[in-house]
């Protein structure tokens, strides 16, 4: 089967069927009998089988199980039977498995709340069979509404409505063509709302995030589309004045997830329709185009019906080509390996280019010069990359380099054990193991039937970590440094323990009424459970019950409605086999407020200052306040008033941030307020520079690696993103990110956004993990580097969350993390090491 034919099948599955359903007045997902079984490009004597069931053990019929080959464009899918069972024939290698509902699923109204599960088969023709089971989460809330044209009529084209939270959990549907109405069922939680018309003349309205309580029915009413009545136009040329044809040009507003894009014509000119507002515009060349863009982009204000012309860009012509092939250390070509090749200029740090590795070969378009060429291989292959290769290429020339890779001749193996039960082996638990050595990355699944794993590696010092997917056990261990010699197999156990205790209680609103859908967080205190951060949600009666291992915990309720102050954290002891019940967590109304003037030094720009206030016992509040230029002041200043509610009698940490596209300003202080008014002026120092945002357009079926000006980089394995065709990825540095108890953001963070060809944000979980690498400067830390962690902001818990898979290399001064969804990321200091189990599925 050709890639084109395979791609057409995938498009039928992901897009076309939805549009057919729209024209027939049916909302997706597809009926089971309409879903094509996606055949792979090759097969093998390998089998995966299992069962899909709800959290109470009910089998799910007609659930769609999809298997994605890691780092290669292969997919298989099938439907579960009436007993919830499924079976798939797969090829050798590493596979990621997900499950999705269809409109014929029985029972209906559920989501799969965890990341894709992995299975690995040997690269041989030996028959193997593994079991992967899925527990899905019932959807207990619903949303509805109507999408209309600006004049109130029904849109004559499809419109996609999707809701996603910060962990990639949610759903999407199409409006009904006869009425514009839509409906979705989802689990309780807080969701971003996206309205995506399939027409380039209109855009979706901005909809505020919605919190869904258990059993809630939220009606959005009528949501009117916005006409893209403004136009941005210009020309893109290279440094010699030649037009850059076929160049993607993208535009976005602030850190919004959606974006608009177009391409230049043969004359290098582009015309981009937008809604009124202020836009960030820039070229977004892909790896197959012979151009590089190293500028910051332009900020453009557009009025209704206005055409803003002359927004021109200069790109760097990359008219030389570095072709390459992967070889073993004795020079033999290595085929059927994918990944990403990078060429970094030896003389100009801004010039970094790359291209996908296809079947062991690659091409990189660069300007003439000297380069260091390195490769990045995703897991699932028996090879690891070696050091970079030097390359010298002239303008207009094509050269070929041979890049060596090493067979993984060593291994790390082990199994799950329970240290609280005399290190007894633990079976029936799925998970995966990840290891890092420099820029080398290896991963392997934990086999549930034996609880064991085997990780292929090369000689070196490896930083190993792991995670599990279980409602009965929790992970206890953290990263470990393991030296491995050539040909050696190192044994390393993975400690887990049973949830043999629990907490229970009620969450109340400030008026003392039970609060449904509130998040309750339990953080382990010291000893074996010191790494744990577990959470659950209250039911319709405001009650919660969370299973966890025995020990001492700090229990709180983050989030709540805007303006509320979090409950005081409780310190709770849980004995083995018991439940600590009767806990009461009550949100509070502020009984004091901070008020004063905000002054932003050395700027005349207008915007919003974000002010945060937090205490060590979990209280938190924030607000956004506008500032404008303060008269004829030299040096210039911006300012304005603010007022923020707090609770008297505690010490509050205060932080304030103002930012533009290029820089940010910051203030920090503390105060112990009394009831009533507390005067406090805040002076924000700056500016501190941020790197420019980065954007690139590429084929989702190919690997991709991006590097920001500050050294932050991301590697995306081929096929990792949940899309077909072209994807536009952008990374936006952000300083106005939440400062919270135990989470001080270092410098600034990043908003990661990906959109498909139609401009739809890719907010769902990925097929497999991407890798983000953050550099850090020890001089930016208030404490020692072990207190430094990568984090993403969770809209489920309204807190900074530490991913399970991360690695800190103090010698190289980098932090590396794996993640399966895009959201806001940052390096934070002072956060206790915690693991994310998102969301909890309770039996």
């Amino acid at each position: 089967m050709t890639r084109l034919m395979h791609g057409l099948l995938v498009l039928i599955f992901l897009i076309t069927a939805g549009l057919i359903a729209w024209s027939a007045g049916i909302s997706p997902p597809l009926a089971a009998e309409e879903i094509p079984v996606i055949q792979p490009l090759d097969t093998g004597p390998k089998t995966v089988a299992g069962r899909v069931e709800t959290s109470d053990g009910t089998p799910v019929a007609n659930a769609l199980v999809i298997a994605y080959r890691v780092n290669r464009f292969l997919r298989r899918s099938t439907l579960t039977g009436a007993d919830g069972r499924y079976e798939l024939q797969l090829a050798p290698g590493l596979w990621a498995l997900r499950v999705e509902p269809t409109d014929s699923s029985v029972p209906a109204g559920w989501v799969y709340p965890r990341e894709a599960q992995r299975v690995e088969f040997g690269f041989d023709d030996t028959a193997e069979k593994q079991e992967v089971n899925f527990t899905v989460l019932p959807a207990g809330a619903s949303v509805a509404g109507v999408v209309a044209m600006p004049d109130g009529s029904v849109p004559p084209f499809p419109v996609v409505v999707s809701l996603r939270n910060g962990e990639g959990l949610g759903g999407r549907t199409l409006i009904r063509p006869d009425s514009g109405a839509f409906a979705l069922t989802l689990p309780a939680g807080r969701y971003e709302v996206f309205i995506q018309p399939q027409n380039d003349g209109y855009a979706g309205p901005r909809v505020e995030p919605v919190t869904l309580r258990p059993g809630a029915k939220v009606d959005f009413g009528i949501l009117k589309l916005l006409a893209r009545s403004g136009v941005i136009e210009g020309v893109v040329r290279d440094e010699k004045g030649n037009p850059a044809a076929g160049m993607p040009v993208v535009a976005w507003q602030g850190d919004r997830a959606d974006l608009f894009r177009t391409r230049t014509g043969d004359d290098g000119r582009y015309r981009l329709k937008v809604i009124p507002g202020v836009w960030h515009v820039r070229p977004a060349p892909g790896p197959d185009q012979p151009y590089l863009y190293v500028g910051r982009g332009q900020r453009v204000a557009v009025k209704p019906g206005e055409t803003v012309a002359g927004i021109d860009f200069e790109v760097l012509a990359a008219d030389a080509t570095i072709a390459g092939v992967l070889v073993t250390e004795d020079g033999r070509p290595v085929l059927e390996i994918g990944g990403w090749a990078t060429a970094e200029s030896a003389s100009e740090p801004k010039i970094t280019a790359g291209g996908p590795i296809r079947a062991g070969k690659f091409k990189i378009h660069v300007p003439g010069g000297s380069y260091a060429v390195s490769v990045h291989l995703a897991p699932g292959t028996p090879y690891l990359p070696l050091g970079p290769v030097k390359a010298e290429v002239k303008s207009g020339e094509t050269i070929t380099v041979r890049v060596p890779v090493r067979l993984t001749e060593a291994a790390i193996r082990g199994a799950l054990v329970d240290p609280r039960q005399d290190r007894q082996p633990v079976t029936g638990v799925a998970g995966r193991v990840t290891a890092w050595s420099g820029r080398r990355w290896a991963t392997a699944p934990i086999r549930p039937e034996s609880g064991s794993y085997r990780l292929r590696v090369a000689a070196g010092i490896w930083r190993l970590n792991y995670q599990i997917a279980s409602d009965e056990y929790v992970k206890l261990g953290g990263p470990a440094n393991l030296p491995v010699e050539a040909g050696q197999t190192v044994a390393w156990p993975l400690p887990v323990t049973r949830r043999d205790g629990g907490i229970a209680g009620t969450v109340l609103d400030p008026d003392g009424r039970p609060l449904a859908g509130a998040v309750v967080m339990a953080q382990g205190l010291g000893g074996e459970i010191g790494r744990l951060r577990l959470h659950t949600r209250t039911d319709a009666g405001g009650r919660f019950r969370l299973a966890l291992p025995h020990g001492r915990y700090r229990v709180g309720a983050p989030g709540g409605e805007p303006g509320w102050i979090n409950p005081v954290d409780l310190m709770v002891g849980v004995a083995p086999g018991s439940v600590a019940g009767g806990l009461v967590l009550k949100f509070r109304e502020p009984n004091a407020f901070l008020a004063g003037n905000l002054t932003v030094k050395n700027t005349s720009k207008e915007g919003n200052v974000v002010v945060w206030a937090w205490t060590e016992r979990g209280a938190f509040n924030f607000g956004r306040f506008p500032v404008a230029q303060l008269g004829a002041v030299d040096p210039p200043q911006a300012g304005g008033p603010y007022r923020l509610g707090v609770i008297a009698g505690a010490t509050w940490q205060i932080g304030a941030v103002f930012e533009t596209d290029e820089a940010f300003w910051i203030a920090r202080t503390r105060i112990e307020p009394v009831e009533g008014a507390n005067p406090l002026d805040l002076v924000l120092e700056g500016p501190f520079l941020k790197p420019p945002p980065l954007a690139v357009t590429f084929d989702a079926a190919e690997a991709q690696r991006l590097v920001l000006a500050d050294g932050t980089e991301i590697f995306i394995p081929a096929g990792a993103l949940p899309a077909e065709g072209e994807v536009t990825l952008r990374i936006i540095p952000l300083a106005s990110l939440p400062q919270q108890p135990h989470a001080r953001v270092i410098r600034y963070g990043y908003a990661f956004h990906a959109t498909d060809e139609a401009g739809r944000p890719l907010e769902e979980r990925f097929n497999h993990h991407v890798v983000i690498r953050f550099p850090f400067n020890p001089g930016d830390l208030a404490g020692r580097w072990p207190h430094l962690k990568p984090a993403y902001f969770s809209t489920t818990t309204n807190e900074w969350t530490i991913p399970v898979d991360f690695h800190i290399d103090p010698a190289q001064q980098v932090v590396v993390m794996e993640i399966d969804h895009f959201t806001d990321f940052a390096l934070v200091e002072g956060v206790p090491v915690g693991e994310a189990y998102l969301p909890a599925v309770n039996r």
Side-chain angles (χ1 to χ4, degrees):
M1 182 182 295
T2 67
R3 173 167 292 185
L4 176 60
M5 294 175 62
H6 182 262
L8 288 175
L9 281 176
V10 176
L11 286 172
I12 291 172
F13 168 57
L14 293 178
I15 300 174
T16 307
L19 300 184
I20 293 172
W22 176 84
S23 64
I26 304 170
S27 291
L30 299 174
E33 63 272 13
E34 297 177 315
I35 298 175
V37 174
I38 304 171
Q39 301 295 332
L41 298 179
D42 57 355
T43 58
K46 316 294 183 180
T47 304
V48 63
R51 188 170 188 261
V52 180
E53 62 181 26
T54 64
S55 52
D56 63 1
T58 302
V60 179
N62 287 331
L64 180 65
V65 180
I66 310 173
Y68 303 83
R69 171 74 178 273
V70 174
N71 200 39
R72 194 170 169 198
F73 196 66
L74 302 180
R75 303 188 183 195
R76 288 294 313 268
S77 66
T78 190
L79 295 166
T80 57
D83 59 355
R85 300 287 303 180
Y86 74 92
E87 185 171 294
L88 280 169
Q89 298 299 314
L90 303 178
L94 184 64
W95 292 78
L97 276 74
R98 286 174 31 183
V99 62
E100 299 176 358
T102 70
D103 70 342
S104 298
S105 295
V106 181
W110 52 265
V111 296
Y112 179 60
R114 301 189 187 277
E115 68 168 27
Q117 295 196 51
R118 301 191 183 191
V119 293
E120 185 176 27
F121 296 108
F123 286 88
D124 52 43
D125 57 2
T126 303
E128 292 182 76
K129 186 172 184 178
Q130 296 189 39
E131 181 162 333
V132 174
N133 299 314
F134 298 92
T135 301
V136 299
L137 183 66
S142 63
V143 298
V146 175
V147 176
M149 298 291 284
D151 63 2
S153 61
V154 177
F157 44 77
V159 179
V160 178
V161 179
S162 59
L163 279 77
R164 294 283 166 186
N165 65 15
E167 285 72 50
L169 183 66
R172 71 172 181 263
T173 189
L174 288 163
I175 64 168
R176 296 185 64 90
D178 55 347
S179 63
F182 65 89
L184 275 171
T185 56
L186 296 164
R190 183 170 176 81
Y191 295 89
E192 301 283 341
V193 183
F194 305 97
I195 311 296
Q196 186 63 43
Q198 305 298 293
N199 184 294
D200 64 4
Y202 297 90
R206 183 185 291 271
V207 182
E208 291 299 317
V210 61
T211 298
L212 301 181
R213 306 292 181 187
K217 297 181 178 181
V218 175
D219 190 341
F220 287 111
I222 298 176
L223 302 173
K224 291 187 176 182
L225 299 178
L226 306 174
R228 291 167 63 175
S229 63
V231 175
I232 301 172
E233 60 183 25
V235 62
V236 183
R237 301 182 179 92
D238 66 18
E239 71 272 24
K240 297 179 181 179
N242 301 314
M247 172 70 67
V249 179
V250 299
W252 68 87
Q253 289 183 309
D255 64 342
R256 285 190 63 174
D258 51 357
L259 94 165
F260 300 143
R261 73 176 187 174
T262 188
R263 283 184 181 270
T264 59
D266 291 342
D267 58 358
R269 296 189 177 277
Y270 72 92
R271 179 180 172 86
L272 183 60
K273 292 188 288 187
V274 297
I275 61 176
V278 178
W279 294 86
H280 189 99
V281 186
R282 61 159 287 159
D288 291 331
Q289 293 181 304
Y291 300 102
L292 298 175
Y293 181 67
V294 296
R296 279 188 168 271
Q298 297 190 49
R299 191 175 177 87
V300 183
V302 183
K303 298 177 182 178
E306 181 184 21
T307 295
V308 180
I311 308 302
D312 302 336
F313 297 95
E314 182 179 291
V315 295
L316 190 62
D319 57 353
T321 302
I322 300 174
V325 60
L326 304 186
V327 297
T328 60
E329 292 177 276
D330 57 5
R332 292 175 297 167
V334 178
L335 304 179
E336 295 303 314
I337 288 183
W340 183 263
T342 300
E344 298 181 72
S345 172
S347 58
E348 179 51 66
K350 288 186 177 181
I351 298 180
T352 298
I357 300 171
R358 306 178 180 105
K361 298 179 180 180
F362 61 86
K363 287 185 178 180
I364 307 175
H365 299 293
V366 296
S370 299
Y371 293 88
V373 180
S374 57
V375 298
H376 305 259
L377 306 180
T381 68
Y383 293 91
L384 293 170
L386 297 178
V389 173
K390 292 182 180 180
E392 184 86 26
V393 61
K394 297 177 181 179
S395 178
E397 183 183 25
T398 297
I399 65 167
T400 301
V401 297
R402 297 161 68 85
V403 181
V405 295
R406 174 174 293 170
L407 189 67
T408 52
E409 79 287 1
I412 304 172
R413 65 172 180 82
L416 301 174
V417 297
D418 188 344
R420 291 183 165 185
Q421 298 294 327
D422 296 326
R423 304 184 71 81
Q424 290 294 314
V426 174
T427 60
V429 175
R432 63 185 178 87
V433 180
T434 303
W436 291 91
S437 179
R439 291 181 178 268
R440 297 178 294 180
W441 173 26
T443 186
I446 299 170
R447 295 178 176 247
E449 65 274 15
S450 62
S452 64
Y453 73 93
R454 183 179 179 85
L455 193 67
R456 298 192 305 267
V457 297
I461 297 178
W462 290 85
R463 178 84 164 176
L464 182 141
N465 208 342
Y466 64 105
Q467 67 170 289
I468 62 172
S470 174
D471 303 320
E472 186 178 357
Y473 286 87
V474 297
K475 169 191 171 185
L476 291 182
N481 286 321
L482 301 178
V484 181
E485 297 179 2
Q488 182 185 23
T489 296
V490 175
W492 191 259
L494 309 177
V496 298
T497 196
R498 191 182 299 273
R499 300 181 190 231
D500 61 348
I503 57 173
T506 305
V507 178
L508 307 176
D509 69 15
D511 294 327
R513 295 171 299 195
L515 184 61
V519 175
V520 177
M521 179 74 71
Q523 176 186 327
L525 298 175
E528 296 170 323
I529 64 170
R531 301 176 182 273
L532 293 184
R533 287 177 66 87
L534 307 174
H535 80 268
T536 188
R537 284 189 180 272
T538 58
D539 61 18
R543 298 176 294 268
F544 68 88
R545 186 182 182 94
L546 177 61
L548 38 71
H550 67 268
R552 285 188 55 78
Y553 291 87
R554 180 174 182 157
V555 181
E561 297 297 325
W564 290 1
I565 306 298
N566 295 356
V568 174
D569 289 348
L570 304 177
M571 304 301 169
V572 180
V574 179
S578 70
V579 174
L583 307 181
V584 177
L585 296 166
K586 183 180 180 181
F587 283 91
R588 298 165 287 173
E589 294 281 4
N591 63 1
F593 63 90
L594 310 178
N597 293 315
L598 300 169
T599 301
V600 185
K601 301 173 69 174
N602 303 313
T603 185
S604 59
K605 294 187 177 181
E606 299 182 351
N608 290 311
V609 172
V610 183
V611 180
W612 293 277
W614 67 93
T615 74
E616 294 301 317
R617 291 298 301 272
F620 175 72
N621 201 6
F622 79 100
R624 295 179 181 271
F625 306 96
V627 292
Q629 184 176 0
L630 293 176
V633 182
D634 188 22
Q637 294 182 352
Y642 82 99
R643 177 187 169 105
L644 187 68
V646 293
I647 296 290
T651 299
W652 288 78
Q653 306 289 331
I654 312 299
V657 171
F658 174 77
E659 70 178 317
T660 64
D661 288 344
E662 297 82 19
F664 66 98
W665 290 252
I666 191 167
R668 297 182 189 276
T669 188
R670 65 177 61 193
I671 187 174
E672 187 170 335
V674 297
E675 290 191 18
N678 292 264
L680 182 65
D681 293 336
L682 297 174
V683 178
L684 284 73
E685 301 287 344
F688 303 101
L689 296 181
K690 299 187 302 182
L694 192 62
V696 66
T697 298
F698 62 98
D699 187 342
E702 306 287 0
Q704 178 64 232
R705 176 176 176 259
L706 290 177
V707 182
L708 269 70
D710 65 356
T712 299
E713 62 183 74
I714 178 173
F715 174 63
I716 304 173
L721 300 184
E724 305 298 330
E726 279 194 342
V727 167
T728 298
L729 171 65
R730 66 190 188 279
I731 307 173
I732 307 169
L734 288 179
S736 54
L737 293 171
Q739 306 277 346
Q740 291 189 316
H742 317 300
R744 185 178 77 90
V745 175
I746 305 300
R747 298 188 303 167
Y748 47 80
Y750 310 85
F752 284 71
H753 295 299
T755 52
D756 64 12
E757 289 181 327
R760 181 184 67 85
L762 302 180
E763 300 296 321
E764 52 265 63
R765 285 187 164 180
F766 302 157
N767 301 329
H768 37 85
H769 281 214
V770 303
V771 180
I772 305 175
R773 183 183 178 95
F774 302 99
F776 70 89
N777 183 347
D780 292 331
L781 307 182
R784 299 181 299 111
W785 70 262
H787 297 155
L788 182 67
K789 303 291 182 294
Y792 68 90
F793 194 75
S794 167
T795 57
T796 297
T797 62
N798 204 36
E799 284 193 336
W800 286 106
T801 300
I802 311 304
V804 173
D805 291 318
F806 71 91
H807 158 60
I808 301 175
D809 186 338
Q812 298 293 322
Q813 296 180 6
V814 294
V815 179
V816 183
M817 65 180 283
E818 289 186 63
I819 200 72
D820 70 345
H821 62 281
F822 283 149
T823 182
D824 294 342
F825 300 95
L827 292 181
V828 299
E829 188 177 13
V831 180
V833 178
E835 316 305 341
Y837 298 86
L838 299 171
V841 180
N842 297 323
R843 293 185 181 274

